[in-house]
């Protein structure tokens, strides 16, 4: 990090990118592989860009072992647009959908979906301020629901599903924005997975959708063309100008992860980083965690000192020490360290060392 005088950025997103990826992008900035131009300047219809997007898709398919009957779409509109696109495209059989409400993003998706059909919360942890993941079984879902929706990793509250809920034949839709590519996932257990790229993959502006083919093409007649998955699926994400540079950056990250040894290798590092931090948090009563231990997120570690003024001081002093964006989400306050794939282990070590010092000085 010293080489470029960089900080450790614990932001929930946009967030850190792997340094080797930034270096590669920098090296290719002015002349991408002898084309005499930056990827930013390249026609999205050029052979060069076609090669970039095709390679990115192939690498993502390799990393997640995505079955052939799933489409990969590179879309725009952020995570938030999927809150609308999911019900518009998928709630077209019985017009019913069941949501598991485990945090702010799940609740937003749930609220938006209500505009489009008969939407019910099959489970919720709002009664305990989203500090746990409700365990549901098949009988908790309406048999004729068009889909069941979950937010696999809750960015703001710092929780994560430990098991994929069994929904039987009902397609399961998962927002994986803040844990995408941090673990191996059996894609065939899901009807659809989607992720905003700016948490764990690439710069903002790209949303990755992985959707089973039989779920595409059912949107109502009056669906705006851009909001229909079929529009994008038919044109291989090239219906209009895609977010070219973000796709290129995502592609570099996919290559980086493959070189690292794939998602199991990445996961091992993520587990080690999170364990260090949680072990320290559990060893002291100065900091408190709120999420039920078995439901903790590996990516977003939420904690408090119990004193809002002290939390503020923590954030300010951490910043002076090159540890930035440790403030909790404005909804819940406190502190949050987002330690995505690209956060180096040394960043976590530096955070823990700082936390120990801060504890000693402010006890
Ligand atoms: C950040 C986030 C979103 C929203 O993403 P935008 O791209 O800002 O719309 C949705 N879901 C989860 C889990 C997130 O972390």
């Amino acid at each position: 990090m010293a080489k470029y005088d960089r900080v450790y950025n614990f932001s929930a997103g946009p967030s850190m990118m792997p340094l080797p990826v930034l270096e590669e992008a920098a090296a290719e900035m002015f002349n991408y592989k002898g084309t005499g131009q930056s990827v930013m300047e390249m026609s999205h219809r050029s052979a060069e860009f076609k090669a970039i997007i095709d390679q990115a898709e192939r690498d993502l398919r390799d990393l997640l072992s995505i079955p052939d009957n799933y489409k990969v779409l590179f879309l725009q509109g952020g995570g938030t647009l999927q809150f609308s696109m999911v019900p518009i495209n998928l709630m077209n059989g019985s017009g019913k959908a069941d949501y598991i409400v485990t945090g702010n993003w799940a609740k937003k998706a749930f609220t938006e979906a209500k505009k489009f059909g008969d939407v019910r919360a099959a489970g919720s942890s709002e009664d305990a301020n989203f500090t746990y993941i409700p365990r549901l079984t098949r009988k908790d879902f309406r048999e004729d629901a068009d889909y069941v929706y979950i937010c696999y990793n809750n960015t703001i509250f710092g929780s994560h599903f430990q098991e994929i809920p069994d929904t039987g034949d009902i397609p399961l839709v998962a927002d994986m924005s803040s844990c995408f590519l941090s673990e191996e996932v059996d894609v065939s257990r899901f009807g659809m997975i989607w992720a905003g790229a700016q948490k764990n993959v690439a710069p903002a502006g790209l949303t990755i959708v992985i959707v089973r083919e039989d779920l595409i093409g059912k949107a109502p007649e009056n669906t705006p063309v851009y909001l229909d998955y079929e529009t994008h699926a038919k044109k291989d994400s090239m219906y209009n100008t895609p977010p070219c540079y973000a796709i290129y950056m995502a592609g570099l990250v996919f290559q980086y992860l493959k070189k690292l040894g794939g998602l199991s290798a990445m996961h091992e590092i993520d587990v080690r980083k999170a364990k260090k931090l949680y072990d320290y948090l559990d060893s002291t009563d100065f900091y408190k965690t709120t999420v039920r231990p078995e439901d903790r997120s590996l990516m977003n570690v939420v904690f408090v000192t119990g004193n809002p003024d002290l939390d503020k001081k923590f954030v300010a002093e951490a910043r002076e020490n090159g540890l930035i964006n440790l403030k909790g989400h404005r909804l819940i306050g406190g502190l949050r360290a987002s330690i995505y794939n690209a956060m180096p282990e040394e960043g976590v070590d530096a955070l823990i060392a700082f936390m120990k010092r801060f504890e000693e000085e402010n006890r």
Side-chain angles (χ1 to χ4, degrees), residues 296-345:
R296 284 170 169 173
S297 166
L298 295 182
M299 301 281 106
N300 310 101
V301 179
V302 171
F303 55 100
V304 294
T305 62
N307 171 349
D309 290 333
L310 206 52
D311 288 347
K312 233 185 204 165
K313 189 174 175 212
F314 180 101
V315 172
E317 282 183 23
R319 168 170 269 285
E320 285 164 22
N321 285 274
L323 310 168
I324 73 164
N325 290 321
L326 282 157
K327 194 169 168 220
H329 190 277
R330 62 196 143 73
L331 271 180
I332 60 170
L335 303 162
R336 172 176 56 174
S338 294
I339 50 172
Y340 296 118
N341 286 353
M343 170 60 66
E345 196 159 347

Side-chain angles (χ1 to χ4, degrees), residues 41-107:
E41 303 165 302
M42 202 175 263
S43 163
H44 64 294
R45 304 283 175 204
S46 64
E48 291 87 355
F49 185 72
K50 178 95 172 69
I52 290 171
I53 191 169
D54 288 352
Q55 186 66 45
E57 177 171 343
R58 271 197 302 279
D59 288 335
L60 181 62
R61 284 184 176 278
D62 281 355
L63 281 168
L64 277 167
S65 306
I66 300 174
D68 288 342
N69 62 325
Y70 286 74
K71 284 275 185 200
V72 172
L73 308 177
F74 295 114
L75 305 183
Q76 306 186 57
T80 301
L81 187 57
Q82 294 312 307
F83 299 161
S84 321
M85 282 179 82
V86 165
I88 289 172
N89 283 271
L90 305 187
M91 209 169 12
N92 297 312
S94 63
K96 299 178 189 174
D98 284 354
Y99 278 60
I100 306 183
V101 182
T102 52
N104 186 56
W105 295 118
K107 198 174 167 184

Side-chain angles (χ1 to χ4, degrees), residues 105-117:
W105 295 118
K107 198 174 167 184
K108 280 200 162 152
F110 171 65
T111 305
E112 177 69 5
K114 282 182 185 172
K115 292 179 187 167
F116 301 100

